Amino acid sequence: MGVAEKGEGLRAGMQLRPWRAVVSAERQRRYHDAAEVPGGLFGDTADLSILANDTILAMRYLKSTPMDGVHAGQRMRQIVPVRLGEALTVRGRIAELRRAAKGLFTRAEFAFEDEQGAVRVRGELTYFRVDAGAKLDAPAIDPEFDPRGWVRFARKALTPQRVAEYSFEFPDYRVHFDPAVAASVGLRAPVAQGLMSFTWMMQAIAGDGLPGQFALAAMFRRPVFWDDTVEILRRGDEFAVIGEDRRLRSSGTRLRAET
């Protein structure tokens, strides 16, 4: 099927250019500081949410506009723990394309291989490529989230500085820190990366002691703006990020065995 290149139409089956990923202690610290994750919680193990950023970085060469890829969902599966400083090769492919009213949903799959070629982590990224001139109108008001049976794990007060610091590897993704770019696509303010919510969910998992094998799947349902305050809720292996309006922003599930 060939290698996907910028400016050409994507097709299912296309391969992505290989990407080299290393989660250093400093890199992980910067993401965790921005997301207010306690230092040392992961020890010498790489946080899967940091590696999830590498699925975006591996596709960055295809990006043409600020809204060329609105993050809609992420799945990461740890087969063998990755240690800080380990070098991995990220091999990706376009798995699926699906047309929607204002753009194209794209799902890409990734394998994180060590220097011996063994797959240590698998990932899946779903994003929405917004059509030129389309606006991301606010969705119809959905019902308030029902908190019965859920326990609040953490409360996070976002700031423009924290949102920008989490996106330190994405200086060209200006929707995260440029109000004019956010307004140009119908957003009231810059938005946090969806993976910031993923990091909060990983914080909850790590608090129990990181298992050797597990998966975390998440959907980013509504924007988290750079001035929002959110709560991270937990019900067993389920996670929810809700805003002060008590409406769902992101949802996630920890999978103990692959299904």
Side-chain angles (χ1 to χ4, degrees), residues 74-114:
Q74 186 77 39
R75 182 187 179 103
M76 297 294 289
R77 176 190 172 199
Q78 179 173 290
I79 301 168
V80 179
V82 175
R83 303 303 174 191
L84 296 178
E86 282 194 80
L88 301 171
T89 299
V90 186
R91 303 192 188 278
R93 62 183 289 270
I94 304 298
E96 181 185 15
L97 300 170
R98 178 169 56 87
R99 168 57 56 180
K102 296 184 179 182
L104 188 70
F105 279 101
T106 302
R107 181 170 61 85
E109 298 174 340
F110 300 86
F112 292 72
E113 300 176 358
D114 63 21

Side-chain angles (χ1 to χ4, degrees), residues 9-149:
L10 297 180
R11 298 183 300 279
M14 279 184 161
Q15 303 295 312
L16 301 174
R17 297 176 186 172
W19 175 261
R20 181 178 172 82
V22 179
V23 181
S24 66
E26 174 63 11
R27 184 186 183 204
Q28 184 150 292
R29 182 196 64 77
R30 292 186 68 177
Y31 275 107
H32 283 175
D33 283 354
E36 297 184 288
V37 174
L41 185 62
F42 288 78
D44 67 348
T45 301
D47 174 355
L48 281 187
S49 73
I50 314 304
L51 289 171
N53 278 279
D54 283 296
T55 67
I56 303 175
L57 290 166
M59 299 192 73
R60 182 165 58 179
Y61 76 96
L62 297 174
K63 192 175 181 75
S64 299
T65 69
M67 297 303 289
D68 205 13
V70 180
H71 205 166
Q74 186 77 39
R75 182 187 179 103
M76 297 294 289
R77 176 190 172 199
Q78 179 173 290
I79 301 168
V80 179
V82 175
R83 303 303 174 191
L84 296 178
E86 282 194 80
L88 301 171
T89 299
V90 186
R91 303 192 188 278
R93 62 183 289 270
I94 304 298
E96 181 185 15
L97 300 170
R98 178 169 56 87
R99 168 57 56 180
K102 296 184 179 182
L104 188 70
F105 279 101
T106 302
R107 181 170 61 85
E109 298 174 340
F110 300 86
F112 292 72
E113 300 176 358
D114 63 21
E115 293 181 344
Q116 287 71 48
V119 177
R120 307 283 291 279
V121 170
R122 291 195 180 276
E124 185 177 295
L125 164 68
T126 301
Y127 68 96
F128 186 60
R129 299 172 67 90
V130 182
D131 289 338
K135 300 289 186 180
L136 291 180
D137 300 326
I141 296 299
D142 51 344
E144 288 191 10
F145 182 81
D146 184 353
R148 288 176 295 183

Side-chain angles (χ1 to χ4, degrees), residues 31 33-35 157-170 173-178 189-193 196 200 224-228:
Y31 275 107
D33 283 354
L158 283 81
T159 66
Q161 181 179 356
R162 290 196 180 281
V163 169
E165 287 175 348
Y166 191 90
S167 299
F168 72 95
E169 292 187 299
F170 302 90
Y173 286 25
R174 302 194 64 80
V175 73
H176 299 306
F177 45 82
D178 187 329
V191 294
Q193 282 186 236
M196 202 172 203
W200 296 331
V224 175
F225 294 103
W226 69 355
D227 55 358
D228 274 341

